[in-house]
Amino acid sequence: MAAASAFSATKFTQPLPLNTTTSRSHDKHQSFFDPLKTTSSSSSFLGSTRKLRLNSASKFNHLANSNRRSAVVAVSDVVKEKKVKSTTNLLITKEEGLKVYEDMILGRSFEDMCAQMYYRGKMFGFVHLYNGQEAVSSGFIKLLKQEDSVVSTYRDHVHALSKGVPARAVMSELFGKTTGCCRGQGGSMHMFSKEHNLLGGFAFIGEGIPVATGAAFSSKYRREVLKQADCDHVTLAFFGDGTCNNGQFFECLNMAALWKLPIVFVVENNLWAIGMSHLRATSDPEIWKKGPAFGMPGVHVDGMDVLKVREVAKEAIGRARRGEGPTLVECETYRFRGHSLADPDELRDPAEKAHYAARDPITALKKYMIENSLASEAELKAIEKKIDEVLEDAVEFAEESPLPSRSQLLENVFADPRGFGIGPDGQYRCEDPKFTEGTAHV
Amino acid sequence: MFGIIRQKVSAGGSPPLAFGQMIRPAVSAWRGYSAAAKQMTVREALNTALDEEMSADPKVFLMGEEVGEYQGAYKISKGLLDKYGPERVLDTPITEAGFTGIGVGAAYHGLKPVVEFMTFNFSMQAMDHIINSAAKSNYMSAGQISVPIVFRGPNGAAAGVGAQHSQCYAAWYASCPGLKVLAPYSSEDARGLLKAAIRDPDPVVFLENELLYGEVFPISAEVLDSSFCLPIGKAKIEREGKDVTITAFSKMVGYALKAAEILAKEGISAEVINLRSIRPLDRHAINASVRKTNRLVTVEEGFPQHGVGAEICASVVEESFGYLDAPVERICGADVPMPYAANLERIALPQVEDIVRASKRACYRSVPMAATA
Ligand SMILES: Cc1ncc(C[n+]2csc(CCOP(=O)(O)OP(=O)(O)O)c2C)c(N)n1
Ligand SMILES: [Mg+2]
């Protein structure tokens, strides 16, 4: 039975013959909607101006492009079906549009503020900003329920914000203050919020993927073994292109498909892993193809277009929620800043940066909203102003919050602090009132 | 996440990329061969050692993330791609388990891989190959297959990077038979030990320290010679003393030397031992020193339990019990994952004051235990 559904899932993305893909424009909003259009304009890695060392690789790339075009058609089919049923031609309602716009502005402005605060010495270590990729976070996470889970990487501030963790709590965490969402213990790369089902903040490549798969496993287990019939929670795992060369990715695609787990693997393909071009790191740059290889749908979507991301996300999240299994979504996006605030960012070609800067996802949404009379210039300005205030407040809050006290050093190491063991006096060390004055010196 | 060299504008630290001046003469060259005439950063020391060994032996190659076009996340491999080409300086995808295993397989066939971990934290994803495929093969094959490979990269606490990126692996790897584990402190150590590691027929875990890369040390003409090499398994007495022995490795050697200076002003003469090699451990040098000073303080950034200090204490209790005039003191990182908040991070790591305080305690100038940082 599972095999049968896996098989049909595979079919879902079977590329159509190339010659049927050309005359498919049927929609006046195609510039935002028709994935075919996207495919030809930002076609696979045409946006990357990366020059390869090996000649054979460019041949590969060419091949990849034609394949990609055909595969994306499968997405447009999904989207088309939806469209026929809907009464309006618009891709988003006013309310949804404003909500997504606000979330994207929040993400962008928050990260810009982080850069300022980092240079002022208010936050430290490795700080990885999300600028440019907002359409992915907002396009996916804003469709989730509170009970759904998100697992992120070290580039996690904006995923946390989209999931509803207050800007104050994220900023304060970055300042290393007790009011942070992890009381200053986690830091930039390790955001957690149980209340919001944000399960981290994983700084090692690939390690978030199995954890996310485990979260999806628990939803299924709760429904099927613990008989919690209403447990239809979905997990989203976010990670980068570079991470798709790590074994944990493949291991989890297999298990998620094998066990039909309610998870969406969201690849934020920003074309680079620090200074390593995706094209230099992977034998077949089309990541979405690995979905069908493991028996699940694989979808490529323009990650600079939040409306397209949303369409694909709706479908994938819906599949997971209905118990139809996992989906792999490759969002082609770009980071507008260096890998981290310490990265000199010398290897990316200015022309490539300019190409993607011109496709800023926030500008694109704004344009769509205004052109379709979904929002006025003034309404959007009001949102921007509101977010400025939110951030000002967040910084002030973080600034004024207290530093962790010394006793906090030994808290939270264990859920049961008797894990520190028994001291020379025969008592549990944690029971000594002076215990937290030390540093767990053995 | 990679740091890749901190460039905080406000922090003002010396720009780590000031790689231009490889060797900075401290005094005029006309003065001729003074032993301490030149200075070199640890980064330059590692870079020149790699360069010289690659140039001397075509079997030596470097692989890892960002070692080529990016010139190394911490610029240790700067210039090597241009000099040796992409066949010998290989940028790998982010797949530690995969490329480490590939390195080990290449070593089985007589090549001499140097595998860079962007930081040693990431070696956790490759531990199967370091321990199972590399460390045990010579034994399992009854000496038929040796594994001449070096695993290197920054180890230990960096600054402000939180729990997953700040950890010392010295004790982890040093508990494993079949591995040699080295931890350089100075530029001399870095050059001499890295060359020794590359020339060695066995797998070597080579633990560098990000926060030392930019540090400048005097360096002698002998150390600059391309034939220079240090023996594996031998500690160095960095400073002689008679009242208390302080053992340390990597960055903590600098702290121990600072503590020794402070102690000297208060009339305590501390002997500082730079371990250099964690496995094999120079038990002879440690015990000889303790037999002279009768007191021991061990210092490390790693966790206390089953740590390097624990092993040193055991050795001293086994070999020199009768010589001890005071309980041994262990200074370690706090027994907690590294916190992010700067104030907590500071108290989670050994500081110079802690070494001073423990040394005084060992010399019976005690301060109460509760005040221990
Ligand atoms: C196991 C492991 N190896 C290496 C690193 C160092 N590292 C941090 S981010 C990164 C690049 C990741 O690129 P990608 O997956 O494309 O994500 P992006 O940063 O582009 O969002 C690397 C190599 C790590 N964090 N974990
Ligand atoms: Mg990337």
Side-chain angles (χ1 to χ4, degrees):
Chain A
M1 205 181 83
S5 59
F7 184 63
S8 61
T10 313
K11 269 203 197 145
F12 174 73
T13 45
Q14 279 309 311
L16 297 179
L18 255 180
N19 55 12
T20 66
T21 65
T22 41
S23 59
R24 205 164 260 271
S25 66
H26 53 269
D27 186 292
K28 69 174 170 148
H29 302 298
Q30 53 165 292
S31 61
F32 277 93
F33 198 50
D34 186 347
L36 264 183
K37 186 88 190 279
T38 334
T39 315
S40 46
S41 63
S42 67
S43 170
S44 27
F45 302 98
L46 288 185
S48 173
T49 56
R50 184 78 209 156
K51 291 204 181 52
L52 291 173
R53 242 168 223 287
L54 306 166
N55 294 335
S56 61
S58 57
K59 226 185 337 179
F60 233 120
N61 194 19
H62 176 72
L63 196 89
N65 285 345
S66 52
N67 279 351
R68 162 153 293 166
R69 186 181 305 137
S70 56
V72 172
V73 174
V75 184
S76 90
D77 285 344
V78 177
V79 174
K80 190 179 82 185
E81 253 171 60
K82 275 247 154 80
K83 289 238 42 212
V84 175
K85 283 182 224 137
S86 77
T87 46
T88 156
N89 279 329
L90 292 176
L91 300 170
I92 195 161
T93 66
K94 178 178 175 119
E95 292 68 40
E96 289 167 342
L98 292 177
K99 182 171 139 189
V100 168
Y101 187 75
E102 179 171 328
D103 193 56
M104 291 173 79
I105 293 285
L106 173 63
R108 178 72 56 89
S109 314
F110 188 93
E111 298 292 63
D112 286 340
M113 185 61 86
C114 284
Q116 276 189 46
M117 293 299 128
Y118 177 86
Y119 291 125
R120 275 192 224 163
K122 299 287 181 192
M123 46 186 81
F124 12 84
F126 301 141
V127 176
H128 306 82
L129 302 184
Y130 194 72
N131 299 50
Q133 303 183 197
E134 295 87 354
V136 182
S137 182
S138 302
F140 267 91
I141 299 178
K142 283 296 156 198
L143 294 171
L144 295 181
K145 303 192 286 192
Q146 175 113 351
E147 301 77 35
D148 295 329
S149 298
V150 165
V151 175
S152 180
T153 63
Y154 44 85
R155 203 181 296 286
D156 57 355
H157 311 167
V158 175
H159 294 142
L161 296 170
S162 290
K163 194 68 178 57
V165 185
R168 277 182 161 198
V170 181
M171 190 64 83
S172 202
E173 184 63 27
L174 289 162
F175 276 51
K177 300 293 186 77
T178 40
T179 51
C181 58
C182 301
R183 305 203 305 157
Q185 291 167 213
S188 170
M189 300 190 278
H190 308 295
M191 297 287 171
F192 292 80
S193 171
K194 181 161 187 182
E195 178 191 348
H196 300 92
N197 286 298
L198 175 70
L199 307 184
F202 291 90
F204 280 29
I205 292 304
E207 69 175 349
I209 303 175
V211 172
T213 310
F217 175 87
S218 73
S219 304
K220 188 176 152 106
Y221 187 93
R222 280 162 63 184
R223 192 167 61 217
E224 294 178 3
V225 179
L226 304 182
K227 306 295 178 206
Q228 299 175 2
D230 59 342
C231 182
D232 62 353
H233 310 155
V234 171
T235 301
L236 302 185
F238 291 90
F239 49 94
D241 45 286
T243 305
C244 296
N245 300 311
N246 188 289
Q248 299 186 70
F249 170 58
F250 300 101
E251 293 171 25
C252 288
L253 288 184
N254 178 43
M255 284 183 280
L258 189 65
W259 296 332
K260 263 183 122 183
L261 300 179
I263 184 167
V264 185
F265 298 100
V266 186
V267 182
E268 303 200 47
N269 183 354
N270 58 16
L271 313 181
W272 290 83
I274 309 186
M276 182 70 155
S277 156
H278 180 53
L279 300 180
R280 279 208 308 132
T282 201
S283 56
D284 180 347
E286 291 177 285
I287 297 165
W288 64 268
K289 277 189 186 167
K290 275 126 197 176
F294 284 91
M296 74 177 75
V299 182
H300 173 257
V301 64
D302 178 1
M304 302 304 265
D305 183 336
V306 70
L307 299 178
K308 290 207 191 88
V309 171
R310 251 174 90 88
E311 285 309 314
V312 171
K314 260 187 209 162
E315 176 66 20
I317 293 169
R319 265 178 54 77
R321 208 176 300 288
R322 293 190 300 271
E324 292 166 20
T327 307
L328 172 64
V329 181
E330 175 187 0
C331 305
E332 184 177 328
T333 181
Y334 204 71
R335 59 171 156 76
F336 289 170
R337 288 177 174 272
H339 171 72
S340 74
L341 284 172
D343 174 18
D345 191 17
E346 286 159 344
L347 293 176
R348 299 190 303 166
D349 186 333
E352 178 182 296
K353 293 186 200 179
H355 170 81
Y356 285 97
R359 307 195 59 243
D360 188 319
I362 297 184
T363 318
L365 177 62
K366 187 171 187 168
K367 184 160 170 274
Y368 182 84
M369 301 268 290
I370 289 175
E371 279 175 3
N372 289 284
S373 311
L374 284 168
S376 67
E377 199 70 75
E379 278 172 299
L380 299 182
K381 270 263 143 34
I383 288 179
E384 287 156 32
K385 185 153 175 293
K386 174 179 158 194
I387 295 299
D388 281 347
E389 284 160 16
V390 166
L391 287 178
E392 227 166 88
D393 168 71
V395 167
E396 210 178 286
F397 174 78
E399 189 82 83
E400 285 166 7
S401 293
L403 289 171
S405 68
R406 164 179 201 113
S407 65
Q408 200 181 310
L409 181 68
L410 299 190
E411 291 171 7
N412 308 131
V413 176
F414 298 101
D416 176 356
R418 284 177 297 182
F420 280 109
I422 295 171
D425 61 356
Q427 303 295 311
Y428 280 109
R429 298 175 63 217
C430 60
E431 285 165 3
D432 178 351
K434 288 207 178 127
F435 177 55
T436 55
E437 287 171 22
T439 55
H441 201 271
V442 167
Chain B
M1 19 212 23
F2 258 50
I4 308 171
I5 307 258
R6 211 144 277 131
Q7 288 187 319
K8 242 191 229 184
V9 169
S10 59
S14 65
L17 291 176
F19 210 72
Q21 336 90 301
M22 285 292 277
I23 294 159
R24 215 176 303 145
V27 290
S28 155
W30 298 115
R31 297 248 188 102
Y33 266 154
S34 148
K38 296 188 173 177
Q39 296 194 320
M40 186 183 250
T41 62
V42 171
R43 176 178 287 112
E44 293 156 18
L46 293 168
N47 178 267
T48 52
L50 271 172
D51 188 355
E52 289 164 15
E53 293 308 301
M54 287 182 76
S55 129
D57 184 350
K59 292 203 195 84
V60 179
F61 68 95
L62 176 66
M63 72 193 299
E65 291 154 18
E66 308 286 1
V67 297
E69 294 201 3
Y70 201 83
Q71 313 289 322
Y74 297 96
K75 310 298 172 200
I76 302 303
S77 53
K78 187 166 175 127
L80 299 182
L81 174 67
D82 280 348
K83 195 159 173 189
Y84 298 103
E87 295 77 21
R88 292 183 68 198
V89 179
L90 289 99
D91 277 326
T92 62
I94 313 165
T95 160
E96 281 78 5
F99 68 72
T100 304
I102 288 174
V104 172
Y108 281 12
H109 284 274
L111 299 185
K112 300 189 137 212
V114 177
V115 171
E116 172 172 315
F117 293 119
M118 195 176 275
T119 76
F120 250 95
N121 302 290
F122 310 138
S123 77
M124 284 201 287
Q125 295 196 355
M127 215 170 250
D128 181 25
H129 287 301
I130 299 173
I131 291 175
N132 271 333
S133 325
K136 299 177 183 171
S137 294
N138 198 64
Y139 185 81
M140 293 189 297
S141 71
Q144 298 175 80
I145 293 184
S146 69
V147 189
I149 190 171
V150 177
F151 306 104
R152 51 155 290 271
N155 169 64
V161 293
Q164 294 190 338
H165 273 73
S166 271
Q167 194 158 319
C168 176
Y169 290 87
W172 292 52
Y173 288 116
S175 75
C176 180
L179 288 179
K180 295 172 180 171
V181 181
L182 307 180
Y185 160 61
S186 65
S187 302
E188 172 183 323
D189 293 0
R191 262 181 73 79
L193 293 175
L194 184 53
K195 283 165 162 283
I198 294 172
R199 295 174 198 178
D200 197 83
D202 290 313
V204 178
V205 169
F206 192 85
L207 305 169
E208 301 159 11
N209 187 297
E210 179 200 332
L211 302 175
L212 286 177
Y213 283 151
E215 219 152 281
V216 176
F217 289 89
I219 200 156
S220 68
E222 183 202 350
V223 175
L224 283 175
D225 194 280
S226 70
S227 68
F228 179 69
C229 192
L230 283 170
I232 291 178
K234 239 183 130 31
K236 178 186 180 195
I237 310 285
E238 289 280 348
R239 177 184 173 123
E240 288 199 35
K242 55 183 181 26
D243 296 330
V244 56
T245 298
I246 306 176
T247 65
F249 58 95
S250 189
K251 184 160 166 270
M252 289 297 118
V253 175
Y255 281 34
L257 288 169
K258 280 201 193 100
E261 246 166 65
I262 296 170
L263 289 165
K265 290 196 191 106
E266 305 190 22
I268 294 175
S269 156
E271 177 145 301
V272 176
I273 298 184
N274 170 5
L275 296 176
R276 281 185 168 167
S277 176
I278 313 295
R279 182 188 188 98
L281 189 62
D282 190 347
R283 293 170 203 273
H284 172 259
I286 297 165
N287 279 285
S289 175
V290 170
R291 288 175 188 208
K292 180 172 75 174
T293 64
N294 312 108
R295 292 176 171 85
L296 172 67
V297 176
T298 70
V299 187
E300 71 193 292
E301 282 185 325
F303 300 128
Q305 188 159 347
H306 306 120
V308 175
E311 182 59 31
I312 291 172
C313 291
S315 169
V316 166
V317 167
E318 286 164 354
E319 308 293 330
S320 311
F321 182 72
Y323 293 84
L324 284 173
D325 283 351
V328 292
E329 294 273 352
R330 266 193 298 161
I331 312 276
C332 306
D335 199 15
V336 303
M338 188 64 71
Y340 165 77
N343 65 324
L344 292 183
E345 185 185 65
R346 188 174 191 283
I347 55 177
L349 286 169
Q351 306 294 334
V352 173
E353 311 91 83
D354 301 323
I355 305 173
V356 170
R357 203 181 299 113
S359 303
K360 286 186 187 171
R361 251 191 333 251
C363 295
Y364 293 112
R365 297 192 189 176
S366 311
V367 287
M369 189 64 181
T372 308

